[in-house]
């Protein structure tokens, strides 16, 4: 019996030793599998980065102006080809092309082209009145009126005038309230001077100052583009050679003639 137990113990000892070895081998295999997966993922990332880098390099190497020019040429070529096909088939090209647009879109396009043609003709300088009109129209486009405040101020003014007796609120048959100017002093006319009593708020004054500064910057930029800086306000030359000669004279004699020129400008020169 003792021999049998010793044999059983001997048989169990290798089993106890083999379990850690199996666990260690499985752990090693798992690590190798994860390492292979990480290497495969790293290779895929490197390949993807290489492709994206090549695509970015090609995109940067391509001139965008060249692409725009090619696209424009392709559009012109397609247009001319369709026009030639329509002419060969005896069809009206403009009428055939208009089938792809609705009436509203066609009218909108015609108005846009007409406005563009007028704007193209209006670019050149004609006279100062025309130039002022263009500036005025640009200012109107940039102006953003406060409609809510205007309605509130109007309602307050109507209420104040009604309380003072200058306005009479009359209700029509359909229930609409109409303000009637009894003595002709509330609504402005060509001879009215009540606008001088208006006091704009701080934001309106700031907008006016900003517009004036912007206009001054635009004027000075145009002067610099024409070759006339801030220090060269008066034109005292007839050509570039005469301009250089006058600068040389100013450099040597300005300190002697400054008082005389100031007197001329003030009108006190005897």
């Amino acid at each position: 019996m003792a021999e049998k137990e010793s044999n059983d113990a001997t048989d169990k000892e290798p089993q106890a030793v083999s379990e850690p070895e199996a666990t260690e081998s499985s752990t090693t295999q798992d690590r190798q599998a994860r390492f292979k997966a990480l290497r495969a993922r790293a290779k895929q990332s490197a390949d993807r980065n290489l492709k994206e880098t090549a695509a970015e390099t090609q995109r940067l190497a391509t001139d965008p102006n060249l692409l725009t020019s090619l696209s424009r040429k392709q559009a012109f070529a397609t247009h001319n080809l369709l026009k030639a096909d329509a002419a060969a088939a005896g069809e009206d090209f403009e009428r055939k092309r208009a089938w792809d647009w609705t009436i509203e879109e066609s009218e909108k396009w015609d108005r846009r082209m007409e406005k563009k043609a007028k704007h193209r003709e209006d670019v050149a300088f004609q006279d100062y009145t025309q130039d002022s009109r263009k500036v005025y129209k640009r200012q109107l486009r940039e102006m953003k009126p406060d409609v809510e405040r205007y309605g509130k101020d109007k309602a307050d003014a109507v209420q104040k005038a009604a309380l003072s007796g200058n306005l009479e609120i009359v209700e029509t048959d359909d229930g609409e309230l109409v303000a009637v100017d009894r003595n002709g002093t509330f609504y402005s006319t060509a001879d009215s001077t009540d606008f001088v009593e208006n006091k704009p708020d701080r934001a309106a004054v700031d907008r006016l100052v900003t517009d004036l500064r912007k206009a001054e910057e635009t004027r000075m930029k145009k002067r610099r583009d024409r070759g006339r800086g801030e220090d060269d306000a008066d034109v005292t030359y007839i050509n570039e050679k005469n301009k250089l000669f006058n600068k040389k004279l100013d450099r040597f004699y300005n300190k002697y003639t400054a008082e005389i020129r100031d007197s001329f400008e003030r009108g006190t020169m005897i």
Side-chain angles (χ1 to χ4, degrees):
M1 181 66 68
E3 293 179 359
K4 184 177 182 181
E5 290 178 357
S6 62
N7 292 332
D8 294 338
T10 305
D11 295 337
K12 290 180 180 179
E13 286 179 359
Q15 293 180 359
V17 174
S18 63
E19 287 180 359
E21 293 180 354
T23 305
E24 185 178 357
S25 62
S26 62
T27 304
T28 304
Q29 292 177 359
D30 294 340
R31 290 178 178 175
Q32 291 179 354
R34 287 200 301 269
F35 182 69
K36 290 181 179 179
L38 290 175
R39 290 186 62 183
R41 187 181 302 175
K43 188 175 183 304
Q44 292 177 359
S45 300
D47 294 340
R48 190 183 302 111
N49 292 336
L50 183 60
K51 291 180 181 179
E52 292 179 358
T53 303
E56 182 71 13
T57 303
Q58 185 177 2
R59 185 182 65 82
L60 294 176
T62 305
D63 188 5
N65 296 329
L66 180 60
L67 293 178
T68 304
S69 177
L70 292 176
S71 300
R72 188 182 298 111
K73 290 180 180 180
Q74 183 179 3
F76 279 124
T78 304
H79 176 80
N80 293 333
L81 181 60
L82 293 175
K83 190 173 183 179
D85 293 340
E91 299 175 349
D92 189 357
F93 175 70
E94 296 296 336
R95 183 170 180 271
K96 184 178 180 180
R97 189 175 61 167
W99 291 347
D100 298 333
W101 309 94
T102 62
I103 297 177
E104 291 79 7
E105 292 174 342
S106 180
E107 292 177 351
K108 184 178 179 180
W109 177 260
D110 293 339
R111 289 194 300 269
R112 181 181 176 184
M113 290 294 102
E114 182 179 359
K115 184 177 179 180
K116 189 175 181 180
K118 289 182 179 179
H119 179 70
R120 189 184 300 111
E121 296 174 357
D122 199 27
V123 171
F125 177 80
Q126 300 176 4
D127 51 25
Y128 289 103
T129 303
Q130 192 76 1
D131 192 57
S132 300
R133 183 185 67 85
K134 290 191 293 184
V135 173
Y136 175 71
K137 290 180 66 176
R138 185 180 69 248
Q139 291 176 349
L140 285 181
R141 289 194 302 268
E142 296 176 355
M143 186 176 64
K144 298 178 181 179
D146 191 352
V147 181
E148 295 182 358
R149 174 162 185 161
Y150 170 76
K152 182 178 179 299
D153 293 343
K154 182 180 178 181
D156 294 341
V158 170
Q159 184 178 3
K160 184 177 179 181
L163 293 176
S164 62
N166 295 330
L167 284 180
E168 182 179 0
I169 307 300
V170 180
E171 185 176 0
T172 60
D173 296 336
D174 55 357
E176 184 180 1
L177 297 178
V178 180
V180 180
D181 192 357
R182 298 179 61 183
N183 52 10
T185 58
F186 180 75
Y187 292 106
S188 299
T189 60
D191 300 327
S192 300
T193 58
D194 296 337
F195 62 89
V196 298
E197 300 178 359
N198 181 38
K199 295 182 179 180
D201 56 358
R202 184 66 179 178
V205 176
D206 291 341
R207 285 198 302 271
L208 177 61
V209 173
T210 303
D211 292 340
L212 292 176
R213 288 178 177 174
K214 187 184 297 184
E216 182 66 17
E217 291 175 359
T218 303
R219 186 177 68 85
M220 296 309 300
K221 182 178 182 300
K222 290 182 178 180
R223 289 173 65 91
R224 287 193 297 269
D225 293 341
R226 291 195 299 265
R228 294 173 56 189
E230 298 181 1
D231 298 334
D232 192 13
D234 298 330
V235 179
T236 60
Y237 52 88
I238 58 176
N239 51 35
E240 289 297 325
K241 188 175 181 179
N242 182 239
K243 179 180 178 180
L244 296 176
F245 180 75
N246 290 345
K247 284 185 176 181
K248 186 181 294 185
L249 290 179
D250 294 340
R251 188 163 58 250
F252 288 102
Y253 296 104
N254 257 2
K255 57 183 179 180
Y256 304 110
T257 60
E259 185 177 355
I260 299 174
R261 285 186 285 104
D262 293 341
S263 299
F264 272 118
E265 292 178 358
R266 290 194 303 266
T268 59
M269 184 66 183
I270 300 177

PDB file of all heavy atoms in Angstrom, residues 220-246:
ATOM      1  N   MET A 220      -6.325 108.364 -48.355  1.00  0.00           N
ATOM      2  CA  MET A 220      -4.869 108.367 -48.251  1.00  0.00           C
ATOM      3  C   MET A 220      -4.258 107.174 -48.982  1.00  0.00           C
ATOM      4  O   MET A 220      -3.171 107.287 -49.551  1.00  0.00           O
ATOM      5  CB  MET A 220      -4.454 108.334 -46.778  1.00  0.00           C
ATOM      6  CG  MET A 220      -4.886 109.569 -45.980  1.00  0.00           C
ATOM      7  SD  MET A 220      -4.411 111.131 -46.752  1.00  0.00           S
ATOM      8  CE  MET A 220      -2.643 110.954 -46.805  1.00  0.00           C
ATOM      9  N   LYS A 221      -4.947 106.060 -49.001  1.00  0.00           N
ATOM     10  CA  LYS A 221      -4.444 104.901 -49.747  1.00  0.00           C
ATOM     11  C   LYS A 221      -4.408 105.202 -51.243  1.00  0.00           C
ATOM     12  O   LYS A 221      -3.450 104.844 -51.940  1.00  0.00           O
ATOM     13  CB  LYS A 221      -5.314 103.682 -49.472  1.00  0.00           C
ATOM     14  CG  LYS A 221      -4.848 102.410 -50.165  1.00  0.00           C
ATOM     15  CD  LYS A 221      -5.737 101.245 -49.787  1.00  0.00           C
ATOM     16  CE  LYS A 221      -5.242  99.955 -50.445  1.00  0.00           C
ATOM     17  NZ  LYS A 221      -5.231 100.046 -51.911  1.00  0.00           N
ATOM     18  N   LYS A 222      -5.430 105.874 -51.739  1.00  0.00           N
ATOM     19  CA  LYS A 222      -5.438 106.239 -53.152  1.00  0.00           C
ATOM     20  C   LYS A 222      -4.325 107.242 -53.457  1.00  0.00           C
ATOM     21  O   LYS A 222      -3.709 107.194 -54.530  1.00  0.00           O
ATOM     22  CB  LYS A 222      -6.800 106.812 -53.531  1.00  0.00           C
ATOM     23  CG  LYS A 222      -7.920 105.787 -53.549  1.00  0.00           C
ATOM     24  CD  LYS A 222      -9.226 106.409 -53.978  1.00  0.00           C
ATOM     25  CE  LYS A 222     -10.327 105.366 -54.032  1.00  0.00           C
ATOM     26  NZ  LYS A 222     -11.628 105.955 -54.446  1.00  0.00           N
ATOM     27  N   ARG A 223      -4.067 108.130 -52.518  1.00  0.00           N
ATOM     28  CA  ARG A 223      -2.971 109.080 -52.721  1.00  0.00           C
ATOM     29  C   ARG A 223      -1.633 108.366 -52.784  1.00  0.00           C
ATOM     30  O   ARG A 223      -0.778 108.687 -53.613  1.00  0.00           O
ATOM     31  CB  ARG A 223      -2.962 110.118 -51.598  1.00  0.00           C
ATOM     32  CG  ARG A 223      -4.112 111.110 -51.647  1.00  0.00           C
ATOM     33  CD  ARG A 223      -4.117 111.978 -50.404  1.00  0.00           C
ATOM     34  NE  ARG A 223      -2.932 112.810 -50.350  1.00  0.00           N
ATOM     35  CZ  ARG A 223      -2.843 114.032 -50.851  1.00  0.00           C
ATOM     36  NH1 ARG A 223      -3.883 114.555 -51.473  1.00  0.00           N
ATOM     37  NH2 ARG A 223      -1.738 114.732 -50.753  1.00  0.00           N
ATOM     38  N   ARG A 224      -1.440 107.375 -51.897  1.00  0.00           N
ATOM     39  CA  ARG A 224      -0.179 106.627 -51.920  1.00  0.00           C
ATOM     40  C   ARG A 224      -0.054 105.802 -53.200  1.00  0.00           C
ATOM     41  O   ARG A 224       1.036 105.663 -53.754  1.00  0.00           O
ATOM     42  CB  ARG A 224      -0.108 105.713 -50.694  1.00  0.00           C
ATOM     43  CG  ARG A 224       0.152 106.462 -49.395  1.00  0.00           C
ATOM     44  CD  ARG A 224       0.525 105.495 -48.288  1.00  0.00           C
ATOM     45  NE  ARG A 224      -0.558 104.569 -47.985  1.00  0.00           N
ATOM     46  CZ  ARG A 224      -1.499 104.801 -47.072  1.00  0.00           C
ATOM     47  NH1 ARG A 224      -1.501 105.931 -46.388  1.00  0.00           N
ATOM     48  NH2 ARG A 224      -2.431 103.901 -46.841  1.00  0.00           N
ATOM     49  N   ASP A 225      -1.187 105.270 -53.679  1.00  0.00           N
ATOM     50  CA  ASP A 225      -1.135 104.498 -54.922  1.00  0.00           C
ATOM     51  C   ASP A 225      -0.774 105.388 -56.107  1.00  0.00           C
ATOM     52  O   ASP A 225      -0.155 104.926 -57.068  1.00  0.00           O
ATOM     53  CB  ASP A 225      -2.483 103.812 -55.169  1.00  0.00           C
ATOM     54  CG  ASP A 225      -2.774 102.732 -54.132  1.00  0.00           C
ATOM     55  OD1 ASP A 225      -1.817 102.282 -53.478  1.00  0.00           O
ATOM     56  OD2 ASP A 225      -3.952 102.357 -53.971  1.00  0.00           O
ATOM     57  N   ARG A 226      -1.170 106.639 -56.031  1.00  0.00           N
ATOM     58  CA  ARG A 226      -0.824 107.572 -57.112  1.00  0.00           C
ATOM     59  C   ARG A 226       0.577 108.155 -56.961  1.00  0.00           C
ATOM     60  O   ARG A 226       1.004 108.950 -57.776  1.00  0.00           O
ATOM     61  CB  ARG A 226      -1.840 108.718 -57.160  1.00  0.00           C
ATOM     62  CG  ARG A 226      -3.222 108.307 -57.621  1.00  0.00           C
ATOM     63  CD  ARG A 226      -4.045 109.524 -57.987  1.00  0.00           C
ATOM     64  NE  ARG A 226      -4.223 110.414 -56.855  1.00  0.00           N
ATOM     65  CZ  ARG A 226      -5.278 110.395 -56.041  1.00  0.00           C
ATOM     66  NH1 ARG A 226      -6.237 109.501 -56.228  1.00  0.00           N
ATOM     67  NH2 ARG A 226      -5.372 111.248 -55.049  1.00  0.00           N
ATOM     68  N   GLY A 227       1.258 107.762 -55.870  1.00  0.00           N
ATOM     69  CA  GLY A 227       2.620 108.240 -55.681  1.00  0.00           C
ATOM     70  C   GLY A 227       2.728 109.509 -54.893  1.00  0.00           C
ATOM     71  O   GLY A 227       3.793 110.144 -54.864  1.00  0.00           O
ATOM     72  N   ARG A 228       1.641 109.904 -54.211  1.00  0.00           N
ATOM     73  CA  ARG A 228       1.653 111.124 -53.416  1.00  0.00           C
ATOM     74  C   ARG A 228       1.408 110.745 -51.970  1.00  0.00           C
ATOM     75  O   ARG A 228       0.343 110.226 -51.622  1.00  0.00           O
ATOM     76  CB  ARG A 228       0.575 112.098 -53.883  1.00  0.00           C
ATOM     77  CG  ARG A 228       0.777 112.642 -55.266  1.00  0.00           C
ATOM     78  CD  ARG A 228      -0.420 113.454 -55.695  1.00  0.00           C
ATOM     79  NE  ARG A 228      -0.694 114.532 -54.741  1.00  0.00           N
ATOM     80  CZ  ARG A 228      -1.785 115.272 -54.786  1.00  0.00           C
ATOM     81  NH1 ARG A 228      -2.701 115.041 -55.704  1.00  0.00           N
ATOM     82  NH2 ARG A 228      -1.979 116.236 -53.900  1.00  0.00           N
ATOM     83  N   GLY A 229       2.377 110.981 -51.108  1.00  0.00           N
ATOM     84  CA  GLY A 229       2.248 110.642 -49.701  1.00  0.00           C
ATOM     85  C   GLY A 229       1.615 111.764 -48.914  1.00  0.00           C
ATOM     86  O   GLY A 229       1.148 112.773 -49.457  1.00  0.00           O
ATOM     87  N   GLU A 230       1.600 111.591 -47.597  1.00  0.00           N
ATOM     88  CA  GLU A 230       0.992 112.600 -46.741  1.00  0.00           C
ATOM     89  C   GLU A 230       1.811 113.886 -46.718  1.00  0.00           C
ATOM     90  O   GLU A 230       1.275 114.977 -46.606  1.00  0.00           O
ATOM     91  CB  GLU A 230       0.855 112.037 -45.321  1.00  0.00           C
ATOM     92  CG  GLU A 230      -0.053 110.813 -45.246  1.00  0.00           C
ATOM     93  CD  GLU A 230      -0.174 110.305 -43.823  1.00  0.00           C
ATOM     94  OE1 GLU A 230       0.436 110.934 -42.926  1.00  0.00           O
ATOM     95  OE2 GLU A 230      -0.846 109.296 -43.613  1.00  0.00           O
ATOM     96  N   ASP A 231       3.135 113.757 -46.794  1.00  0.00           N
ATOM     97  CA  ASP A 231       3.985 114.938 -46.729  1.00  0.00           C
ATOM     98  C   ASP A 231       3.976 115.723 -48.032  1.00  0.00           C
ATOM     99  O   ASP A 231       4.352 116.882 -48.065  1.00  0.00           O
ATOM    100  CB  ASP A 231       5.421 114.531 -46.386  1.00  0.00           C
ATOM    101  CG  ASP A 231       5.487 113.858 -45.023  1.00  0.00           C
ATOM    102  OD1 ASP A 231       4.607 114.146 -44.188  1.00  0.00           O
ATOM    103  OD2 ASP A 231       6.415 113.046 -44.810  1.00  0.00           O
ATOM    104  N   ASP A 232       3.587 115.067 -49.119  1.00  0.00           N
ATOM    105  CA  ASP A 232       3.605 115.715 -50.429  1.00  0.00           C
ATOM    106  C   ASP A 232       2.181 116.068 -50.823  1.00  0.00           C
ATOM    107  O   ASP A 232       1.629 115.550 -51.782  1.00  0.00           O
ATOM    108  CB  ASP A 232       4.234 114.777 -51.461  1.00  0.00           C
ATOM    109  CG  ASP A 232       4.547 115.523 -52.749  1.00  0.00           C
ATOM    110  OD1 ASP A 232       4.505 116.762 -52.757  1.00  0.00           O
ATOM    111  OD2 ASP A 232       4.803 114.842 -53.745  1.00  0.00           O
ATOM    112  N   ALA A 233       1.558 116.962 -50.061  1.00  0.00           N
ATOM    113  CA  ALA A 233       0.148 117.262 -50.281  1.00  0.00           C
ATOM    114  C   ALA A 233      -0.044 118.163 -51.503  1.00  0.00           C
ATOM    115  O   ALA A 233      -0.987 118.008 -52.262  1.00  0.00           O
ATOM    116  CB  ALA A 233      -0.451 117.920 -49.051  1.00  0.00           C
ATOM    117  N   ASP A 234       0.841 119.160 -51.696  1.00  0.00           N
ATOM    118  CA  ASP A 234       0.696 120.118 -52.788  1.00  0.00           C
ATOM    119  C   ASP A 234       1.513 119.653 -53.987  1.00  0.00           C
ATOM    120  O   ASP A 234       2.679 119.263 -53.852  1.00  0.00           O
ATOM    121  CB  ASP A 234       1.171 121.501 -52.346  1.00  0.00           C
ATOM    122  CG  ASP A 234       0.327 122.039 -51.195  1.00  0.00           C
ATOM    123  OD1 ASP A 234      -0.866 121.679 -51.145  1.00  0.00           O
ATOM    124  OD2 ASP A 234       0.875 122.791 -50.365  1.00  0.00           O
ATOM    125  N   VAL A 235       0.919 119.740 -55.160  1.00  0.00           N
ATOM    126  CA  VAL A 235       1.604 119.369 -56.393  1.00  0.00           C
ATOM    127  C   VAL A 235       2.328 120.607 -56.921  1.00  0.00           C
ATOM    128  O   VAL A 235       1.691 121.583 -57.338  1.00  0.00           O
ATOM    129  CB  VAL A 235       0.613 118.821 -57.433  1.00  0.00           C
ATOM    130  CG1 VAL A 235       1.338 118.467 -58.725  1.00  0.00           C
ATOM    131  CG2 VAL A 235      -0.108 117.613 -56.876  1.00  0.00           C
ATOM    132  N   THR A 236       3.630 120.576 -56.878  1.00  0.00           N
ATOM    133  CA  THR A 236       4.439 121.710 -57.338  1.00  0.00           C
ATOM    134  C   THR A 236       5.337 121.322 -58.506  1.00  0.00           C
ATOM    135  O   THR A 236       6.368 121.959 -58.725  1.00  0.00           O
ATOM    136  CB  THR A 236       5.307 122.237 -56.177  1.00  0.00           C
ATOM    137  OG1 THR A 236       6.163 121.182 -55.734  1.00  0.00           O
ATOM    138  CG2 THR A 236       4.443 122.717 -55.029  1.00  0.00           C
ATOM    139  N   TYR A 237       4.985 120.294 -59.236  1.00  0.00           N
ATOM    140  CA  TYR A 237       5.840 119.810 -60.314  1.00  0.00           C
ATOM    141  C   TYR A 237       4.972 119.440 -61.510  1.00  0.00           C
ATOM    142  O   TYR A 237       3.747 119.250 -61.397  1.00  0.00           O
ATOM    143  CB  TYR A 237       6.651 118.596 -59.858  1.00  0.00           C
ATOM    144  CG  TYR A 237       5.806 117.496 -59.250  1.00  0.00           C
ATOM    145  CD1 TYR A 237       5.238 116.504 -60.044  1.00  0.00           C
ATOM    146  CD2 TYR A 237       5.559 117.457 -57.876  1.00  0.00           C
ATOM    147  CE1 TYR A 237       4.456 115.513 -59.492  1.00  0.00           C
ATOM    148  CE2 TYR A 237       4.783 116.468 -57.320  1.00  0.00           C
ATOM    149  CZ  TYR A 237       4.229 115.489 -58.136  1.00  0.00           C
ATOM    150  OH  TYR A 237       3.453 114.509 -57.596  1.00  0.00           O
ATOM    151  N   ILE A 238       5.612 119.339 -62.658  1.00  0.00           N
ATOM    152  CA  ILE A 238       4.905 118.999 -63.887  1.00  0.00           C
ATOM    153  C   ILE A 238       5.308 117.635 -64.421  1.00  0.00           C
ATOM    154  O   ILE A 238       4.623 117.079 -65.273  1.00  0.00           O
ATOM    155  CB  ILE A 238       5.151 120.080 -64.970  1.00  0.00           C
ATOM    156  CG1 ILE A 238       6.645 120.214 -65.251  1.00  0.00           C
ATOM    157  CG2 ILE A 238       4.532 121.397 -64.543  1.00  0.00           C
ATOM    158  CD1 ILE A 238       6.964 121.203 -66.375  1.00  0.00           C
ATOM    159  N   ASN A 239       6.419 117.108 -63.931  1.00  0.00           N
ATOM    160  CA  ASN A 239       6.854 115.764 -64.312  1.00  0.00           C
ATOM    161  C   ASN A 239       7.801 115.252 -63.236  1.00  0.00           C
ATOM    162  O   ASN A 239       8.095 115.953 -62.250  1.00  0.00           O
ATOM    163  CB  ASN A 239       7.513 115.754 -65.704  1.00  0.00           C
ATOM    164  CG  ASN A 239       8.595 116.817 -65.831  1.00  0.00           C
ATOM    165  OD1 ASN A 239       9.315 117.108 -64.868  1.00  0.00           O
ATOM    166  ND2 ASN A 239       8.707 117.404 -67.023  1.00  0.00           N
ATOM    167  N   GLU A 240       8.305 114.041 -63.408  1.00  0.00           N
ATOM    168  CA  GLU A 240       9.158 113.423 -62.401  1.00  0.00           C
ATOM    169  C   GLU A 240      10.501 114.157 -62.256  1.00  0.00           C
ATOM    170  O   GLU A 240      11.012 114.301 -61.150  1.00  0.00           O
ATOM    171  CB  GLU A 240       9.401 111.952 -62.758  1.00  0.00           C
ATOM    172  CG  GLU A 240       8.179 111.067 -62.578  1.00  0.00           C
ATOM    173  CD  GLU A 240       7.719 111.010 -61.137  1.00  0.00           C
ATOM    174  OE1 GLU A 240       8.592 111.053 -60.236  1.00  0.00           O
ATOM    175  OE2 GLU A 240       6.507 110.939 -60.885  1.00  0.00           O
ATOM    176  N   LYS A 241      11.043 114.612 -63.369  1.00  0.00           N
ATOM    177  CA  LYS A 241      12.315 115.323 -63.300  1.00  0.00           C
ATOM    178  C   LYS A 241      12.169 116.626 -62.533  1.00  0.00           C
ATOM    179  O   LYS A 241      13.013 116.994 -61.695  1.00  0.00           O
ATOM    180  CB  LYS A 241      12.828 115.584 -64.718  1.00  0.00           C
ATOM    181  CG  LYS A 241      14.234 116.153 -64.766  1.00  0.00           C
ATOM    182  CD  LYS A 241      14.729 116.267 -66.203  1.00  0.00           C
ATOM    183  CE  LYS A 241      16.155 116.811 -66.236  1.00  0.00           C
ATOM    184  NZ  LYS A 241      16.655 116.907 -67.629  1.00  0.00           N
ATOM    185  N   ASN A 242      11.068 117.346 -62.805  1.00  0.00           N
ATOM    186  CA  ASN A 242      10.809 118.586 -62.080  1.00  0.00           C
ATOM    187  C   ASN A 242      10.513 118.313 -60.602  1.00  0.00           C
ATOM    188  O   ASN A 242      10.857 119.108 -59.734  1.00  0.00           O
ATOM    189  CB  ASN A 242       9.631 119.312 -62.724  1.00  0.00           C
ATOM    190  CG  ASN A 242       9.328 120.636 -62.051  1.00  0.00           C
ATOM    191  OD1 ASN A 242       8.235 120.842 -61.557  1.00  0.00           O
ATOM    192  ND2 ASN A 242      10.311 121.551 -62.050  1.00  0.00           N
ATOM    193  N   LYS A 243       9.925 117.176 -60.305  1.00  0.00           N
ATOM    194  CA  LYS A 243       9.653 116.800 -58.922  1.00  0.00           C
ATOM    195  C   LYS A 243      10.955 116.587 -58.150  1.00  0.00           C
ATOM    196  O   LYS A 243      11.110 117.075 -57.018  1.00  0.00           O
ATOM    197  CB  LYS A 243       8.804 115.526 -58.889  1.00  0.00           C
ATOM    198  CG  LYS A 243       8.477 115.013 -57.500  1.00  0.00           C
ATOM    199  CD  LYS A 243       7.645 113.748 -57.590  1.00  0.00           C
ATOM    200  CE  LYS A 243       7.356 113.207 -56.192  1.00  0.00           C
ATOM    201  NZ  LYS A 243       6.543 111.956 -56.258  1.00  0.00           N
ATOM    202  N   LEU A 244      11.908 115.890 -58.750  1.00  0.00           N
ATOM    203  CA  LEU A 244      13.199 115.686 -58.101  1.00  0.00           C
ATOM    204  C   LEU A 244      13.943 117.000 -57.889  1.00  0.00           C
ATOM    205  O   LEU A 244      14.580 117.222 -56.848  1.00  0.00           O
ATOM    206  CB  LEU A 244      14.046 114.719 -58.934  1.00  0.00           C
ATOM    207  CG  LEU A 244      13.508 113.294 -59.079  1.00  0.00           C
ATOM    208  CD1 LEU A 244      14.396 112.484 -60.017  1.00  0.00           C
ATOM    209  CD2 LEU A 244      13.424 112.618 -57.717  1.00  0.00           C
ATOM    210  N   PHE A 245      13.848 117.887 -58.893  1.00  0.00           N
ATOM    211  CA  PHE A 245      14.515 119.190 -58.766  1.00  0.00           C
ATOM    212  C   PHE A 245      13.903 120.014 -57.637  1.00  0.00           C
ATOM    213  O   PHE A 245      14.621 120.656 -56.850  1.00  0.00           O
ATOM    214  CB  PHE A 245      14.411 119.947 -60.093  1.00  0.00           C
ATOM    215  CG  PHE A 245      15.059 121.294 -60.069  1.00  0.00           C
ATOM    216  CD1 PHE A 245      16.443 121.408 -60.111  1.00  0.00           C
ATOM    217  CD2 PHE A 245      14.296 122.448 -59.996  1.00  0.00           C
ATOM    218  CE1 PHE A 245      17.050 122.648 -60.078  1.00  0.00           C
ATOM    219  CE2 PHE A 245      14.908 123.686 -59.962  1.00  0.00           C
ATOM    220  CZ  PHE A 245      16.277 123.791 -59.999  1.00  0.00           C
ATOM    221  N   ASN A 246      12.571 119.989 -57.507  1.00  0.00           N
ATOM    222  CA  ASN A 246      11.901 120.731 -56.436  1.00  0.00           C
ATOM    223  C   ASN A 246      12.252 120.148 -55.068  1.00  0.00           C
ATOM    224  O   ASN A 246      12.401 120.894 -54.087  1.00  0.00           O
ATOM    225  CB  ASN A 246      10.387 120.701 -56.635  1.00  0.00           C
ATOM    226  CG  ASN A 246       9.962 121.533 -57.825  1.00  0.00           C
ATOM    227  OD1 ASN A 246      10.736 122.340 -58.343  1.00  0.00           O
ATOM    228  ND2 ASN A 246       8.737 121.333 -58.279  1.00  0.00           N
TER     229      ASN A 246
END
